[in-house]
Structure formats: structure tokens, C-alpha cells
Amino acid sequence: MAEDSNSYALQMVNIDKYFGAVCALKNVSFDVGSNEIVGLIGDNGAGKSTIVKILTGVFPPTSGELYITGRKVDFRKYSVQKAHEYGIETVYQDKSLGEKQVLWRNFFIGREITLPFGFINVKKEKEIANEIMINTIGFRGKGITVDSMVSLLSGGERQGVAIGRAMHFEADLILLDEPTVALSLKEVHKVLNFVYKIKDGGKACIYISHNIHDVYEIADRFVIIDRGEIVASILKKDISLKDLDSFLLEYAHGMKDKAEE
Ligand SMILES: Nc1ncnc2c1ncn2[C@@H]1O[C@H](COP(=O)(O)OP(=O)(O)OP(=O)(O)O)[C@@H](O)[C@H]1O
Ligand SMILES: [Mg+2]
């Protein structure tokens, strides 16, 4: 875990989130080191996506504080756009990429490189997109070029493009909420490789997945959330996959509740 506030990608402090009377997050304190991969694990409805949405400016918490690289976020002024400015990027399974677009254009949606008079610098954008494809994502000689339509790419390749974008724009923190749902085994491996690149690139990542094997493989630390509350934070070096699996099963079966009675 990070040692001082400068080495945190983010810190959530005592965050509560209510949807009407429903308490989705209760006193959540959660941090991610500046070069840490955190696996956020919990059952359906535990509050994982709610955490992601607060971090990416979709909605504010009911109460609590958020610090991004040590800077306190003012929720009255926080937004999806602002989260980008703070270096936070999210990669969704489907919505992150425009289908009916060529790759190079897709890389620069909303962030076009322009020439004087406002024309898009096509040459420059293609060059950069090509560079990202080859060096960041590692697409090599597969018949896919920067002029290929996004709709031709496999699910894993799309994830790669989205992650490549996040890396090119130097996101400090990349949030992956179920990035491997509906991907083939081979594509899942590609996504996992991209996460290794995030780590190698000195950046941070929150990886949310129901597949405990994937999470175990790539995360430095596991944070377990149960019905809106963080119940454990365990470093990978302190737990085997088997023990993590048993630990989660105990929660799933409510054994912890019984033990506490
Ligand atoms: N916009 C909303 N309005 C009302 N309730 C919501 C809203 N978003 C989430 N919730 C509720 O908050 C709780 C947490 O939901 P959340 O989507 O964060 O869970 P999750 O851990 O991402 O689950 P999953 O693994 O199924 O994606 C759930 O009880 C859910 O019904
Ligand atoms: Mg979710």
C-alpha cells in the first residue's frame, strides 16, 4: 500500500451513498496506490459499480471525501469531464468504442489534434494511432490497420483499443468494471496482458471481475466489499488463491454473520 498521500492514485474517505432509502455504500474508506493494481471483489449488488461511478464523476456520494493524487475533490464541481482531467479513465465492455468508426478516429474522439483553422490533423492522428496499436497494444500483422472499422475488432481487441487510449492520454488510474464479461479465453488473456502494461507503465488500476482467477492473477491487493461495506483488504502475497476463494465463499454463505452472532 502507498505510504504518503503523494503516492496514492486515490483515497475515498468515509463515503456513504444512498439511493433514496437504499444504502449502497456505507462508510467506505478505500485507497489505491499510484502504481497499484487493486482487485475489487464482491457479490452482485455489493456496491462495486457505485464506487466506480463516484470516482468517474457520474454522481456524487451522499457524504464523505475523495482525494485524487492527494488533491481533494470538490463534488459540486466534479463531473465525467473533470475525472478525465484528473487522469481517471474507465474502460467499459461495450460503450467505450464507437462501432461505426475507423480506428484512428476512435482514438481521438473528443480530443482531436487540430491544425491552425481547426482542421483535424489526420496525418498526425494516424501516426499516433499506429504507434499505440503497435507499441502499446501489440497488434502486429493481423490485417488490422488504423483504417480498420472498429466493428471488425474482437471484444478483446476493443478492450485493448480502449486501454490503449487510456494509456496514451496518460491516465493515472484506469477503472475496469467487468472488462472480460463475454470474452473468449484468448481475449481474456489479452485484457490481462494490458493490465500488466498498466502496472509496467507505472499507473494504477481498479479491476472488477466476478472471475476470481483473473483477479488473483493480476492484482497486487484484493479489496472485498459486502453489501456496501469494505470487509477486507488483503495483499496478494499474504493469501493463496485457494484461501481467497474460501474466504469469499464464507461471505457468500453468510457464515461470517453467523460467526459474529
Ligand atoms: N441508480 C441507482 N438507483 C437506485 N439504486 C441503485 C442505483 N445504482 C445502484 N443501486 C443499488 O445499489 C446497490 C449497489 O449496486 P452496484 O451496481 O454498485 O453493485 P455491483 O457491486 O456493481 O453489482 P454487480 O456485480 O451486479 O455489477 C444495489 O443494491 C443496487 O440495486
Ligand atoms: Mg457492477
Side-chain angles (χ1 to χ4, degrees):
M1 228 188 286
E3 270 131 33
D4 62 71
S5 66
N6 290 329
S7 53
Y8 284 111
L10 76 91
Q11 296 149 283
M12 285 179 114
V13 184
N14 302 331
I15 295 267
D16 284 339
K17 178 66 186 178
Y18 284 85
F19 293 108
V22 177
C23 180
L25 296 177
K26 191 175 166 195
N27 208 25
V28 165
S29 290
F30 172 65
D31 54 58
V32 177
S34 58
N35 185 206
E36 192 181 33
I37 310 293
V38 171
L40 183 59
I41 309 171
D43 264 340
N44 296 102
K48 306 179 296 295
S49 295
T50 303
I51 289 182
V52 168
K53 287 172 188 163
I54 290 171
L55 295 177
T56 53
V58 176
F59 47 57
T62 307
S63 61
E65 291 168 8
L66 170 63
Y67 297 83
I68 298 171
T69 56
R71 291 167 293 178
K72 187 172 180 184
V73 167
D74 179 351
F75 285 112
R76 288 167 306 180
K77 295 179 190 156
Y78 200 51
S79 62
V80 175
Q81 175 66 33
K82 198 88 185 156
H84 277 155
E85 286 169 24
Y86 273 112
I88 297 182
E89 294 275 353
T90 315
V91 175
Y92 299 101
Q93 171 69 14
D94 305 310
K95 292 176 210 146
S96 54
L97 291 169
E99 286 272 323
K100 292 185 180 124
Q101 236 177 4
V102 290
L103 252 177
W104 68 269
R105 274 193 187 279
N106 188 273
F107 273 112
F108 294 95
I109 309 172
R111 301 173 190 190
E112 281 83 7
I113 302 174
T114 49
L115 295 161
F117 305 115
F119 292 110
I120 292 178
N121 190 338
V122 175
K123 188 164 171 280
K124 188 89 195 148
E125 289 199 355
K126 281 194 181 191
E127 262 171 36
I128 294 173
N130 195 46
E131 213 274 326
I132 298 171
M133 274 182 60
I134 291 168
N135 296 329
T136 308
I137 315 175
F139 285 171
R140 279 196 184 83
K142 291 210 251 126
I144 296 164
T145 72
V146 289
D147 291 306
S148 300
M149 291 290 281
V150 168
S151 54
L152 287 179
L153 304 182
S154 72
E157 285 164 345
R158 281 174 222 204
Q159 285 292 310
V161 172
I163 294 172
R165 273 176 47 180
M167 291 181 79
H168 174 73
F169 291 105
E170 306 221 314
D172 297 315
L173 175 67
I174 299 173
L175 309 177
L176 303 173
D177 193 352
E178 300 285 357
T180 57
V181 166
L183 296 189
S184 70
L185 215 56
K186 203 172 132 217
E187 289 174 344
V188 169
H189 273 280
K190 279 191 203 162
V191 172
L192 298 185
N193 278 334
F194 296 136
V195 179
Y196 283 122
K197 286 192 176 165
I198 296 173
K199 177 80 181 173
D200 290 345
K203 312 292 188 187
C205 174
I206 299 175
Y207 188 91
I208 296 171
S209 170
H210 276 92
N211 187 325
I212 188 70
H213 293 90
D214 293 350
V215 179
Y216 190 82
E217 184 182 328
I218 52 159
D220 299 317
R221 182 162 59 98
F222 315 105
V223 170
I224 296 147
I225 180 166
D226 183 47
R227 287 164 290 174
E229 290 183 76
I230 304 279
V231 293
S233 163
I234 311 168
L235 290 171
K236 173 148 118 183
K237 67 177 177 62
D238 294 335
I239 196 165
S240 66
L241 172 58
K242 193 165 163 281
D243 287 346
L244 180 64
D245 206 28
S246 319
F247 185 84
L248 295 172
L249 271 175
E250 281 179 35
Y251 271 100
H253 293 161
M255 282 160 71
K256 285 274 179 229
D257 291 347
K258 290 207 184 83
E260 276 161 20
E261 273 165 16

